Amino acid sequence: MKHDLHTLTGAYALGALEPAERRRFEAHLRGCDNCRSEVEGLAETVARLGSAAAEPPPERLRERVMDGVERTRQVPPRLTRPMPVPGRPATWLATAAAAACLALALLAGVAVQRATDERDRAHALNTEITAVLAAPDARTATARTSTGGSLTIIASPTLDKAVIAVSALPDLPSTRTYQLWHLTSAGPRPAPLLRPTGRDAIPVIDRGLNGARAFALTVEPSGGSPRPTTPPIAQLALPV
Ligand SMILES: [Zn+2]
């Protein structure tokens, strides 16, 4: 089976499953008390959020992303990355490194725990998802990507977290990854990499929004980039 069905409660409650996967998950729900009670809890909070139409991000922010793309294209990404200076205050470089570390930690954590206790991991993830959905200031937005599939973001500024759910994104070669960006007035800020290929329905938690309300999704070299190197395939802004 493509996914461990126990891990799909979050994506199911968010309506992020494709029809075939949704039917398989619904069949699984009939025989799994754990998943059924999780879905009931999640569905309540999702219903409370209501459905928000996707909003394009402000034009000013969109232009800044494209600026970043133009500049980054001049030189291969690796060559634009200066050596970090120990003890230097946080900069965009530190932010990029932190985002990359976070993505790696998530992937490593998932890989280790999958081998030992997939169900505990799934429950921990769903607990975190539920907390974001249940936050009084949670906002959600969905956008189709220009390459197919969709991106859904549910964010809580007070928790400083967002749930990122993608659905039916095209598979990428192993040398490429999907990367999320926070669109800020200072330019695009690296956000988590999204697991491609085969497990795309499992949501990722974006920890550390720092006030970001607009997002973009690009395709980057595997491991992620400090700056976008390709034009966004999706952009969205959270409703106020
Ligand atoms: Zn289950």
Side-chain angles (χ1 to χ4, degrees), residues 171-213:
D171 287 351
L172 294 176
S174 60
T175 55
R176 293 284 180 274
T177 184
Y178 290 104
Q179 185 167 0
L180 191 74
W181 302 89
H182 299 157
L183 304 185
T184 73
S185 55
R189 192 166 62 204
L193 309 180
L194 303 178
R195 265 164 298 189
T197 313
R199 303 192 65 85
D200 61 346
I202 299 175
V204 166
I205 307 290
D206 181 358
R207 302 175 182 86
L209 292 181
N210 277 313
R213 302 199 64 90

Side-chain angles (χ1 to χ4, degrees), residues 39-57:
V39 163
E40 279 164 15
L42 288 168
E44 269 173 36
T45 49
V46 170
R48 203 179 46 68
L49 285 173
S51 58
E55 292 176 28

Side-chain angles (χ1 to χ4, degrees), residues 2 15-24 144 149-150 166-169 200-201:
K2 191 178 172 193
L17 294 185
E18 289 300 295
E21 192 127 59
R22 190 177 67 235
R23 281 194 296 275
R24 288 200 304 124
R144 302 298 297 177
S150 64
V166 292
S167 175
L169 289 188
D200 61 346

